[in-house]
Amino acid sequence: SPRGSPVNEIELLTVSHIVKRFGTTQALRGASFSVLPNEMLGLIGPNGSGNSTLLECLAGLIAADAGEVRVHHVPLSAEARRATLFYVPDGALPWPDQTVAWVTSFSATLQRSHLPISDQTYITRALGLEGLARRRVGTLSKGERKRVLLALALLTSQPIVLIDEPFDGLDLRQMRDVAELFRRVVDEGRTLLLSIHQLTDAARICDRLVLLSDGCVVGEGTLHELRARAGLPEGGLEKVFLAPT
C-alpha cells in the first residue's frame, strides 16, 4: 500500500517545462514535476495524454523541444541521464531468439548490476520466471514478456527506473506480486516512476501521483493532497483526476 511522502523531500529528479512537438501536434506542453528519493511515483493520464512521450524524453530516447531535466539539481544532458535513469517501454521485445535465462543473466551483466546473486534470484522468482527459464522470449505471451521486461528493469544498477504500463498483461495475482516486489525495491533504496493508465492500480500502490492531461501536468501529490486541492472531502483517484481536467 502507498505510504506518505518520503521524509527526505530533497528532490532527486526535477523535470522542468518539457515541451515536445510532432509536426503541428504538441504532445507535451511544458510538463513539470519532481521525483523524490525512494518513492513510487505514478504518472497518470488517459491514452493520448503524453505519458509515453514524457518518459521517452526523460530517458533521452527522443529530444525534447524545450525544458530541462535535473538530478540532484544538476542539469543533465540526455546522454548523461543514462547513468541515473533506466527506461522500460511498453511492448518491447528484447533478444526474442534467446531464452529467458540467457536474457536476464546477460542483461544483469551488461548493466553491471550491483545486486548480489541472491537478490537477483529473488527478483526472478518473485516475477515467476523460473518456469520460463528455457523458453525463448519470442514465444512468450504478453504477460510473460512483461514479467521479463520488469526483471530487466529491476536487475539494472540505475537508481531511478521508468516503467511504462508495468501491469499490462498481468493477472490479479501477478499484479499483487509485482506491487509487493516494487515496494521492496523502493524500501531498499531505489526510485520508481510508473506510467499507469488504470487509476485504481495507481491509487493502491503509488506514494505520490502526477496527473497528466493533454500534455500538461494538472496535479502532483499524494491522493490525500490532490483530494484536498480539488476541494473533495472524499473520493477515489478517478474523481480527483476529473476535477482539474
Side-chain angles (χ1 to χ4, degrees):
S1 61
R3 62 191 181 200
S5 296
V7 174
N8 178 7
E9 293 203 5
I10 299 173
E11 294 176 3
L12 173 60
L13 177 70
T14 307
V15 179
S16 301
H17 310 294
I18 299 295
V19 173
K20 181 60 184 177
R21 301 179 187 87
F22 296 101
T24 59
T25 301
Q26 192 162 4
L28 297 172
R29 306 169 183 269
S32 299
F33 64 95
S34 61
V35 183
L36 306 181
N38 311 130
E39 75 168 345
M40 201 181 314
L41 182 67
L43 180 62
I44 312 304
N47 287 326
S49 295
N51 298 39
S52 298
T53 300
L54 180 53
L55 293 184
E56 290 173 356
C57 286
L58 298 184
L61 294 184
I62 60 176
D65 295 308
E68 185 176 63
V69 176
R70 301 190 300 276
V71 175
H72 292 304
H73 301 290
V74 177
L76 292 184
S77 67
E79 182 68 28
R81 281 175 234 152
R82 294 176 187 172
T84 304
L85 308 175
F86 186 86
Y87 172 53
V88 184
D90 186 29
L93 184 62
W95 302 296
D97 294 329
Q98 299 294 339
T99 65
V100 170
W102 184 94
V103 167
T104 52
S105 176
F106 177 73
S107 181
T109 302
L110 183 68
Q111 297 294 331
R112 298 186 296 278
S113 176
H114 65 288
L115 298 174
I117 295 298
S118 59
D119 284 348
Q120 293 182 30
T121 302
Y122 175 84
I123 287 172
T124 56
R125 283 180 177 171
L127 292 169
L129 298 183
E130 287 186 310
L132 303 176
R134 296 184 179 181
R135 294 269 305 277
R136 295 190 184 277
V137 171
T139 69
L140 301 180
S141 69
K142 181 178 181 180
E144 290 167 343
R145 291 179 186 180
K146 175 61 70 174
R147 285 184 278 145
V148 172
L149 285 175
L150 295 178
L152 301 189
L154 299 181
L155 289 171
T156 62
S157 57
Q158 287 89 335
I160 306 173
V161 181
L162 319 177
I163 307 178
D164 199 358
E165 291 300 321
F167 303 117
D168 190 28
L170 304 185
D171 62 31
L172 290 176
R173 182 182 296 275
Q174 292 166 347
M175 288 172 60
R176 181 200 63 190
D177 293 343
V178 168
E180 291 176 355
L181 177 59
F182 282 173
R183 179 54 59 195
R184 170 171 168 165
V185 165
V186 167
D187 287 344
E188 292 180 351
R190 300 182 80 184
T191 297
L192 303 180
L193 174 55
L194 311 175
S195 173
I196 305 176
H197 286 120
Q198 295 298 324
L199 301 187
T200 53
D201 297 335
R204 188 174 66 252
I205 71 164
C206 293
D207 302 315
R208 293 191 312 124
L209 303 156
V210 171
L211 309 184
L212 193 66
S213 178
D214 194 26
C216 299
V217 172
V218 295
E220 177 182 351
T222 65
L223 179 56
H224 176 75
E225 291 167 345
L226 292 170
R227 192 185 290 135
R229 289 170 195 158
L232 299 171
E234 58 183 20
L237 184 54
E238 295 91 342
K239 190 173 182 180
V240 171
F241 183 80
L242 291 172
T245 59

